[in-house]
Amino acid sequence: MVSALAASLVSIYIECTLFGIFLILSFTSFVLLARRQRPARGLQCNSPQPSTWPHRLAYLLVVLKSPLIAANVLLILVNTVHWVIGMQRFYIAIMDHDTMQGAGNFVDDTTQPLVIGRTALLFVDMLVGDIVMNYRTWLVWKRDYRAIIFPCITTAGLLASGIGILYEFCASNADIGPFTATFGPWIVAECISTLCTNLYDTLMIAYKIYSLNRLSKKNGLIIASGNSLMEGLVIFIESAALYSAWTIMFVIFYLTGSSLQMIGSGCGPTVIGIAFMLITVRVGLGLGFDTRRVGNPSTTLPSRLGDRPFSDNTIPMHAIALDISRTVEQEVDYSLSSKTGHATSLGTDV
């Protein structure tokens, strides 16, 4: 049986590693999303005149209007505070207690304000992730609210269970551990709610991307050396699988009464943040995309987001916005149209 103190030490080590990865991905994601807002909003990217403060302020306001950029900034703040509290809590456990048993009891004490604070931040991270996932599904399905009825219900369940957990933590006694009937139903309900939301939205978006890819190949619109739309789908599924695997791992550890559940709860915000940023970075940098149009080998579709490479004899095509994930910024990924000249669209502009 792993002790609470040992599990806390492992959790802190893994969280520090993941937090470093998260910071790199988050700042890269923010730069990619922010730079994409300028041409999208008609702002000059390479103006020869120096930027004035009003211009910079206007640009900042434009950037923050993007839901994904706002979520990006919020996740950076939440994850940073969560990591700082975790380091402070572990320092207090080691330095302010003379015995290993005393340090272990401190780590296992759910009434500590630092524990309640970290739990609240984890809840905020999960809520933001699910809301953005629902937002992405709504865009992919052309703003059809019927497509997000079920995930909105499960997100409401996450909200209710998260509030219930925080209430029980605040009202519990110091001698009550996390593996009690008081916390168990709320914690399991929270995990099931976010897992259902994640799986449902993943399947809905995957089905839409698969249908679009099949339609494009059927009409002879693209020949993909790497089957580019499906490559985008794989990138999305990998991110969703990371989040789902973390949730399942935490539930297993918790239901078996293992102190290793601290790894799941302690590293949860960084895992959610990495899952959020991963697709934005990979799609934004053009990783894994290489699509060519049928008929003219010398004419290629853009292999990176934002490219505009069509020759003079290329038939004009309408844009497809590929919105794939809680983590991906809506982008004009591919330019495809049907043979009849009508556009086939997936998603809309943010």
Side-chain angles (χ1 to χ4, degrees):
M1 186 71 176
V2 180
S3 65
L5 186 61
S8 179
L9 177 60
V10 174
S11 176
I12 287 295
Y13 177 80
I14 298 177
E15 183 181 3
C16 289
T17 303
L18 294 178
F19 183 68
I21 298 174
F22 165 76
L23 285 182
I24 295 174
L25 290 175
S26 61
F27 285 111
T28 303
S29 174
F30 180 83
V31 171
L32 290 173
L33 298 179
R35 291 184 63 183
R36 204 165 290 132
Q37 289 299 313
R38 287 190 172 187
R41 305 293 182 177
L43 297 176
Q44 296 295 328
C45 297
N46 299 314
S47 176
Q49 299 179 355
S51 298
T52 61
W53 281 109
H55 181 274
R56 294 177 181 177
L57 179 60
Y59 174 59
L60 179 61
L61 294 177
V62 166
V63 166
L64 293 179
K65 285 182 179 180
S66 170
L68 293 183
I69 291 181
N72 188 309
V73 173
L74 180 59
L75 287 177
I76 292 175
L77 295 176
V78 170
N79 277 272
T80 302
V81 176
H82 185 273
W83 176 78
V84 170
I85 292 177
M87 296 300 295
Q88 180 184 5
R89 182 165 174 262
F90 187 75
Y91 176 83
I92 293 174
I94 297 298
M95 301 302 296
D96 291 358
H97 296 84
D98 298 329
T99 63
M100 299 291 288
Q101 182 178 359
N105 292 336
F106 175 82
V107 169
D108 229 6
D109 185 3
T110 58
T111 62
Q112 291 290 332
L114 295 179
V115 176
I116 299 174
R118 277 171 63 89
T119 303
L121 293 172
L122 172 60
F123 167 62
V124 171
D125 244 36
M126 297 173 68
L127 187 62
V128 170
D130 284 2
I131 290 175
V132 173
M133 192 67 164
N134 295 340
Y135 172 73
R136 287 285 122 204
T137 303
W138 177 66
L139 286 180
V140 168
W141 283 83
K142 301 179 181 179
R143 303 176 185 268
D144 188 351
Y145 289 97
R146 294 173 298 178
I148 59 171
I149 293 177
F150 177 77
C152 285
I153 294 175
T154 56
T155 302
L158 171 67
L159 179 62
S161 57
I163 295 175
I165 291 174
L166 293 177
Y167 172 79
E168 294 296 343
F169 269 50
C170 294
S172 63
N173 298 322
D175 57 344
I176 296 180
F179 304 105
T180 62
T182 303
F183 302 123
W186 291 111
I187 294 177
V188 173
E190 184 181 44
C191 293
I192 291 177
S193 296
T194 189
L195 187 60
C196 289
T197 301
N198 189 54
L199 292 178
Y200 174 88
D201 288 335
T202 300
L203 291 175
M204 291 291 286
I205 297 174
Y207 172 77
K208 198 70 170 180
I209 297 174
Y210 175 78
S211 300
L212 177 61
N213 182 74
R214 185 177 59 179
L215 178 62
S216 300
K217 292 173 65 176
K218 180 180 179 181
N219 293 334
L221 293 176
I222 58 172
I223 295 179
S225 59
N227 203 2
S228 94
L229 284 180
M230 298 308 293
E231 288 172 351
L233 175 59
V234 169
I235 292 175
F236 167 72
I237 291 178
E238 288 174 352
S239 178
L242 173 64
Y243 181 71
S244 299
W246 165 78
T247 305
I248 294 174
M249 180 196 71
F250 171 76
V251 171
I252 292 175
F253 284 151
Y254 183 80
L255 292 180
T256 56
S258 174
S259 296
L260 292 177
Q261 59 87 21
M262 291 184 179
I263 299 176
S265 59
C267 301
T270 52
V271 171
I272 296 172
I274 290 173
F276 184 93
M277 310 298 174
L278 192 58
I279 290 181
T280 305
V281 173
R282 294 179 67 182
V283 175
L285 295 177
L287 302 179
F289 296 94
D290 185 16
T291 307
R292 292 178 174 80
R293 188 171 65 88
V294 174
N296 187 357
S298 63
T299 303
T300 62
L301 291 177
S303 61
R304 301 183 63 172
L305 300 178
D307 294 346
R308 309 283 184 184
F310 289 101
S311 60
D312 295 337
N313 60 351
T314 301
I315 300 175
M317 296 182 180
H318 299 282
I320 285 183
L322 181 59
D323 292 349
I324 54 170
S325 133
R326 72 172 30 194
T327 67
V328 71
E329 162 72 5
Q330 187 282 332
E331 295 298 335
V332 179
D333 289 339
Y334 305 98
S335 294
L336 302 174
S337 62
S338 63
K339 291 182 178 180
T340 60
H342 297 289
T344 304
S345 62
L346 176 61
T348 54
D349 292 336
V350 171

